[in-house]
Amino acid sequence: MSHWEDIAARVEAGERLSAEEALTLWQQAPLWRLGELAVAKKRLISGDKVFYNKNFHLEPTNTCVFNCKFCSFRRPKGSPEAWDMSMEEIEQQVRSYEGKGVTEVHIVGGVHPEHGLEYYCDMIRRVKEILPEVAVKAFTAIELSYMIRKAGLTTEQGLRMLIEAGMEAIPGGGAEIFDEKVRAQICPDKGSTAEWFEVHRTAHKLGISSNATMLYGHVESVEHRVDHLMRLRALQDETSGLNAFIPLKYRNFGNSMSEIGEVPIIDDLRTLAMSRLILDNVPHIKAYWVMYGKQTTEMALAFGADDIDGTIDDSTKIYSMAGADDQRPRMSVEEMREMVERAGFRAVERDTHYNEI
Ligand code: V47
């Protein structure tokens, strides 16, 4: 097997990493060298730009038919901490963003046992009625697969209905770790890896772009992370439909895997850099500030990330419930711009499709 320095030189020459080479680089190269390689790759794609957007999340329910061990957000139906927003409550939240200049609403929640596809189409239509200029990036592949299957439709038929209602993009959640054995350990009853790929592949075929995530830092090995990224690279070779990849660090507060602890920041930075290097065909690597916290996000910009996500405006609870630093996450445009500029890049506002605003 080659030494990591030979592999690094080949990456610099523009060669694609094999799984074996990626593993060697991940495990053996010093952190500074991974940062150097990843920033060089990032600069070929997005130059000196780092993107942010003006967005908010809508989390209609935290009741879920699945019981993932890493999840701190889910509450069983009937629990005093469970919620299931009415359409009026949803409309009220959406109306509070009228005139605020947001360009995206990210809708995800638990997979509710009772709601059907029509309900979700209606939700999207109502959002679009209030904020017609805002892009709806909605539902993880796992939510989509469940609601479409329940309606007795094929993935293509179900996605067509949601697109018709106004869905414009699909977020990256639900990917967790694609290795089936690890998935069986951390989320045994959840929708499968095959379902995740079926939804994203079909969406891309219908002209809908999507993101992809990876939940790391729990029971998986570096080999599993490389495998996850390789599967995404193969999908992207086939469809070119992925906009961004988002590594999600396992946060351990308030869930049934808490005893595992959290990985150190060095692991976060190596994972970001290696994601950039392996996914040579995915344009954007997002350092989701809500999950990392602001300080790690700033560091992430020296390891190949070119997106920090958005204003959020205290509209998501997934990470605050899992122990993230910001219990009421929000960032002003000025704060995001300063963060990017302090790291030596140029802050650029983008829309959901990475058009510059
Ligand atoms: O799929 C749940 C993760 C995801 C925990 O596409 C956890 O732009 C860490 O996918 N520790 C949902 N992670 C969030 C998501 C996302 C976030 C931001 C932007 C985008 C995008 C997508 O959150 C889940 C799961 O992997 N998650 N619990 C936890 N304790």
Side-chain angles (χ1 to χ4, degrees), residues 247-280:
L248 295 173
K249 173 198 185 91
Y250 167 63
R251 306 300 312 251
N252 80 334
F253 180 80
N255 59 59
S256 57
M257 308 198 314
S258 289
E259 74 287 353
I260 289 174
E262 293 180 359
V263 294
I265 183 176
I266 300 286
D267 199 356
D268 300 326
L269 301 177
R270 295 182 91 80
T271 303
L272 271 160
M274 286 307 303
S275 304
R276 173 61 83 185
L277 297 179
I278 295 173
L279 295 174
D280 57 0

Side-chain angles (χ1 to χ4, degrees), residues 7 12 60 87 133 144 254-255 269 280 286 306 310 340 348-349:
I7 300 170
E12 269 172 335
M87 281 297 179
E133 68 293 350
L144 290 166
N255 59 59
L269 301 177
D280 57 0
K286 185 189 285 190
D306 70 344
V340 169
V348 174
E349 187 186 345

Side-chain angles (χ1 to χ4, degrees), residues 38 52 116 120 129 145-147 155 199 204 206 237 272 349:
Y52 66 91
Y120 293 106
E129 259 170 48
S145 178
Y146 187 88
M147 67 177 84
T155 307
V199 168
H204 297 171
L206 297 176
D237 278 344
L272 271 160
E349 187 186 345

Side-chain angles (χ1 to χ4, degrees), residues 55 57 68-73 104 106 108 137 140 142 170-176 190 210-216 244 246 248-253 255 262 286 288 290-291 307 309 312 318-319 321-323 350 354:
N55 64 348
H57 286 222
C68 303
K69 293 190 182 162
F70 54 78
C71 181
S72 316
F73 175 79
E104 176 182 283
H106 177 143
V108 292
K137 181 177 84 179
T140 67
I142 304 305
I170 296 178
E176 319 318 353
K190 191 179 194 130
S210 69
N211 293 338
T213 58
M214 171 175 74
L215 179 70
Y216 69 92
I246 308 130
L248 295 173
K249 173 198 185 91
Y250 167 63
R251 306 300 312 251
N252 80 334
F253 180 80
N255 59 59
E262 293 180 359
K286 185 189 285 190
Y288 181 45
V290 178
M291 172 267 308
D307 187 4
D309 206 71
I312 301 286
I318 298 179
Y319 281 95
M321 289 168 84
R350 63 158 177 91
Y354 287 84

